[in-house]
Every structure is written in C-alpha cells, then in structure tokens.
Amino acid sequence: MGIAIFLASFQCFVQCLWTRQNGWNREVPDEKRFINKGMRGVTTMNSVIKGASYILAHTPDMVMENGTTQTTERIVNPGSEYLKELPNHIRTYEQALAYLPNQTYIGNMHPDELAKYDQPWVDTTVEGMNQRTGKYGEIMPEDEFYMLMQCVDVFELVMLEKSFVAATREKFAANPVIDDSIVARIHEGVDASEVEHFVNEEHAEPLVFAGKTVGFVKRAHDVDENLSAHTMLENMVSKASAVLSLLHLIRVTGVNKEDIDYVIDCCEEACGDMNQRGGGNFAKASAEIAGLVNATGCDVRGFCAGPTHAFINAASLVKAGTHKNVVVVAGGCTAKLGMNGKDHVKKGLPILEDMIGGFAILLSENDGVNPEVDTEHTGKHTVGTGSAPQNVISSLVTNPLDAAGLKITDVDKYSAEMQNPDITKPAGAGDVPLANYKMIAALGVKRGDLEKKDLATFPAEHGMVGWAPTQGHIPSGVPYVGVCRDDILEGKVNRAMIIGKGSLFLGRMTNLFDGVSVMITKNSGKTEEAAVSEEHIKGLIGKAMKDFAASLLAAAEEE
C-alpha cells in the first residue's frame, strides 16, 4: 500500500516537472498556458526608454504658402487685411532660435526653468538660449529643410533651382547628422525657367525662400487627387521631419542603425493613391532614408492621441519579445502653420506657429537602468466612456491608478496636452496644460487623494508649463518623454504619466472622443524571470529516482 502511494506521488512529481519544462497540461485553460522559449521561461520585464529626439524646422515662407488658415483666406478673401498685414508678423530665424519654448523643445532648457519666466515669452530672451542644436535635436532653417525634402524624395517630385542648391549644399552637408548617404542624394538642381513652368503651368506647389520661389513639388499623377502636388508636399514635409528626428535619435542614443528592427510612425498625414488613400507606409519610407536597413514598420493613426497609442504599442512589442528595439517617430504638419495667425496678428504678436515639429523615441529591452514603460496599467477612453470631462479624466488617469493601487499624488508628473500657452491663449483656447492639471486636481480632491487647499499648488508640483508647438499630435503627451527619462535617471522623478487625447470627430466617421495613457517609472533593477533549465530538471528527476530506489529497498527489507 505504501509503495502504491509513493508511486502515485512520484508520478505526480514527474508530471509537475514536465509541466514546468514544456507548458501547462491540457486541463489548464488555453488562455493560461505559456509557450517556453530560450530558458523555457516567459518574460514579463517592461521595456525601457533608451532616449528621445525632438526637432524643429523654421518655415516662415511655408506659413504664407501652405498653412490652411492662409490658403483658405486667399480663396475666400484674397484681398483681406490679414493677408496684407501677415508679412509684418513673420519671425526671422534668429528670433525663432531665441524663443525660449523652442529652446526647451530641443533640450537646452528644462520645462521647470521655463516656468520661472513670466508669460508671455515672446519678448523674453536669455543669454546663451539661442542655439541651433540641443540635447535632443536641432532647429533647422528653412533653406536646409528644403534641401532635406529633396533628399528624402525618391520619385523626383521635389525640384530645387540650381543656384539655390549651390548656395545651400555646403552648409546642409556640414550638419553632423547628415551623413554621406544623404548628401549623395542631392540633385544638381533645375533651371529657373523649369521652376517657373511647373509652378505656373503644371499645378506644382512652389517652394519659397526669403520671398523668392526656389523650387517646387510636382504632382505624382495627372488625375489622382491623392497624389496631387499639395498632398505630396504635405507628405514630403512630414517624411523629411521624421527622417531628421530619426537621425538625431541615433545621435542621442548612440544606437547602431542596424539594431533597430521596427519603426512606428504616428503623424497625422496619410499617403496612398486613389485605390488606397491611406495605405502608408511613412515608417518604412523614413527608415529607408535614415539607413535603418534591418527595420520594418507600420503607421499608427489616432489624431492627437496617435503618439501615445504608438508608444504603448511599441513598448508592448518589446515586452512581448517580438522586437528588441522599436522606434516611435512622427514628422510635422504644414496645414497647422499659422493656424491661429489671425488672432496673433490682431493682437500685434508675431506668427508663433512657424515651426514644423518632429520627434522620435527608442524603446528597448530592459537593461536594469533606463526608465520602464508600465504597460500593465494603461488608461483608455472606451466607446462607452462618453465625453463628460470627469469621465474622460477618470478613464485616462484614475482607472489605471486604481488598477495599480496608486493615488493621483503618487504620480510625480503628468504630461497631457503640452501646447505652448503663448500660442493658445491669444486665440481664446486658454492655457491647455493648466486646464488639464486643474481637472486632475479636482478629481483628486473628490476622491480624497489630496486636500482642497492643495488645488492651487497641484499644477506646479505635478504638472508643467506647455512648450510644444501646436502641430496637433506633436504636443500630445510625448514632448515630456525625453525630459522624463532624464528626470528619472537624475532622481528628480519616480513616476510620470503620459496622456494622449484625440478628437476623432474631425474625420467625420464618429462623434467619439479618444485617449490613452501610460505610466513611466523608475527602473526596478533587472530581474531575470525565474526559469527551470532542462539540466536542472534532469538532476531533480535523477535525485528522485535514487530516493525512490532507496525507499523500495528499505520497504523490501521491512517485509
């Protein structure tokens, strides 16, 4: 009887070892099984942020030629006082360099430092804060940006006039992030007569610099509106600024180009033809020019929430082991140049929306050092959430906090819509970041996470002033990711939340709002997932067999 019981126990023991080595048995539901890999263990380690880049291109002539506020005004009211007055409100490149929010965006000033200066920042200058390059990227002048547009073009749609190319080539090539492979893509240029012909007779979009037409973007198809010159220009601008972001990400992180295996683009443009208007793929197109030879990728869209959607997707791909190094990237948008120009001109302000923005973020396998992305506790605005402000904030902020057992005050910094208030306040939209922080604080009081007396100090303690250009998706949460990484590594912050919001109704497919959120935390230290090797299991079985044999001998002697 004793031997029978022992045999049954031993069989159960061996089954358990087999289960750990090869996966759950059939009785366990499918959703709880795991497939072994490598050391036959399942990784649950979060991905980490290896670095981020942020770039700007100063494009004052594009404000006049391509911003939708201006292009629409030329159609409906071509002789308007606004169009007559607009040229007097255009900033020089030097003025754009000295603008503190721009210096903050490329990493030369911390947002907390920017907050020490009174708003508006239009006339505020600080010694040394007028640099072209920063920790995260650069502010590229318009003539060099046109050259970059020509270099990223693979269908000979962007053409520049010969003398312009000759005058710009050398300084463009001197940029440290512009390598030989990109310089080799520079075309000699075309005659001025050809520029005039395509702009006046072939429906090409002019490229204007310092008031002079120096090139054009031509249509890619005679009748397909999706390949019109207008659309190709918008897409080429987005691609060029995305490429510049990728090049600076490589500089910032020191990652080998060959090690990047996936790219996700999250801009607000769409490329395709009449048979598939948004077919894509900006991600792979940009990766090609940047030299990411081992990468593939895809485009993720969600209006202003797109970057945070892409950020969560990228972090999840790395955590799942699908890819080791994933980049989230986005270029900028010509349509939003001068978007609030009428209000700025009316109030005697310069046109502050004269910047094309871009960013890139590298997410990689956990190295035990860099900040982690907590994909276990994400917020999401669902179909059933509704549009009430309290419901929106609850779905994006308190729901993930509750799931993690945290209070609102346990998050050191929130980054939601980081639009520059210098731009939004004169247009009547108020201080967007501050409005978000006030809503979060009010919900915190209602929940008992903070006292009413702390409402006034919450925005400064747990928020930041806005500094990002109003390029739609660009200011939506992600401008803080690079700064957040530095803050966490320096011990200033332990936990932050990135919040992306999107207005889906703009596409006329739904009236729904959208949003997602994710937390970034201090690295907990690299901990390997407990796993049992094949050799270890063999040893355990061998020992069990020896013990079993000894017990049989002992039982026989007793009989």
Side-chain angles (χ1 to χ4, degrees), residues 27 117 147 239 245 379 416 524:
E27 280 65 41
Y117 296 93
M147 188 71 79
K239 181 182 178 182
S245 300
S524 57

Side-chain angles (χ1 to χ4, degrees), residues 24 31 237 257 275 351 455:
W24 300 115
E31 63 270 18
V237 166
K257 292 183 179 182
N275 295 310
I351 297 297
L455 280 171

Side-chain angles (χ1 to χ4, degrees), residues 480-553:
Y480 180 57
V481 172
V483 181
C484 177
R485 176 179 177 271
D486 293 339
D487 284 349
I488 290 178
L489 290 175
E490 293 170 14
K492 297 177 182 177
V493 168
N494 288 318
R495 181 181 290 106
M497 181 179 285
I498 306 299
I499 304 169
K501 297 180 180 180
S503 302
L504 303 187
F505 54 83
L506 294 171
R508 306 303 195 270
M509 289 290 104
T510 177
N511 283 313
L512 290 175
F513 181 80
D514 188 36
V516 287
S517 65
V518 64
M519 285 185 278
I520 301 171
T521 63
K522 179 180 179 181
N523 199 298
S524 57
K526 191 171 184 179
T527 57
E528 293 292 344
E529 181 75 11
V532 182
S533 70
E534 185 175 350
E535 290 73 19
H536 183 55
I537 287 181
K538 286 180 178 179
L540 290 173
I541 293 176
K543 184 178 183 301
M545 292 289 286
K546 287 176 66 175
D547 293 343
F548 176 56
S551 66
L552 285 177
L553 288 173

Side-chain angles (χ1 to χ4, degrees), residues 41 116 135 157 167 180 224 239 271 291 298 302 333 467 479 484 499 503:
K116 296 178 182 179
K135 183 192 300 186
L157 300 174
D180 292 342
D224 189 347
K239 181 182 178 182
C271 60
C298 70
C333 177
W467 68 90
C484 177
I499 304 169
S503 302

Side-chain angles (χ1 to χ4, degrees), residues 149-160:
M149 286 174 59
Q150 186 267 290
C151 288
V152 306
D153 170 29
V154 298
F155 279 90
E156 297 186 353
L157 300 174
V158 180
M159 294 293 175
L160 300 174

Side-chain angles (χ1 to χ4, degrees), residues 143-336:
D143 54 349
E144 293 182 42
F145 188 67
Y146 286 163
M147 188 71 79
L148 182 59
M149 286 174 59
Q150 186 267 290
C151 288
V152 306
D153 170 29
V154 298
F155 279 90
E156 297 186 353
L157 300 174
V158 180
M159 294 293 175
L160 300 174
E161 193 269 327
K162 285 182 178 178
S163 64
F164 175 81
V165 173
T168 312
R169 179 187 181 114
E170 186 174 347
K171 68 171 185 173
F172 173 76
N175 189 327
V177 300
I178 302 298
D179 60 23
D180 292 342
S181 68
I182 295 178
V183 173
R185 301 181 65 84
I186 298 175
H187 294 174
E188 179 184 358
V190 298
D191 293 333
S193 59
E194 186 170 346
V195 174
E196 183 178 359
H197 167 75
F198 272 89
V199 170
N200 294 334
E201 299 180 34
E202 299 291 341
H203 307 286
E205 288 284 336
L207 295 175
V208 179
F209 178 67
K212 178 184 176 183
T213 301
V214 297
F216 61 88
V217 178
K218 63 182 179 180
R219 59 189 176 184
H221 195 278
D222 289 341
V223 297
D224 189 347
E225 292 183 359
N226 303 285
L227 297 172
S228 68
H230 171 81
T231 300
M232 298 315 299
L233 182 141
E234 288 188 336
N235 288 352
M236 215 65 75
V237 166
S238 185
K239 181 182 178 182
S241 44
V243 167
L244 187 59
S245 300
L246 289 173
L247 295 175
H248 275 284
L249 182 69
I250 293 163
R251 174 188 67 84
V252 167
T253 62
V255 65
N256 291 323
K257 292 183 179 182
E258 296 80 7
D259 291 338
I260 296 173
D261 43 12
Y262 206 80
V263 179
I264 302 176
D265 182 280
C266 54
C267 74
E268 289 187 314
E269 308 297 354
C271 60
D273 62 11
M274 65 176 71
N275 295 310
Q276 45 272 315
R277 288 179 295 121
N281 180 321
F282 278 95
K284 202 162 187 176
S286 300
E288 175 191 16
I289 304 300
L292 310 184
V293 294
N294 292 324
T296 184
C298 70
D299 299 341
V300 168
R301 298 292 181 262
F303 280 94
C304 298
T308 309
H309 276 293
F311 185 66
I312 294 172
N313 285 338
S316 300
L317 285 172
V318 174
K319 183 175 181 178
T322 307
H323 300 293
K324 291 184 177 181
N325 295 293
V326 180
V327 171
V328 176
V329 65
C333 177
T334 58
K336 294 183 176 66

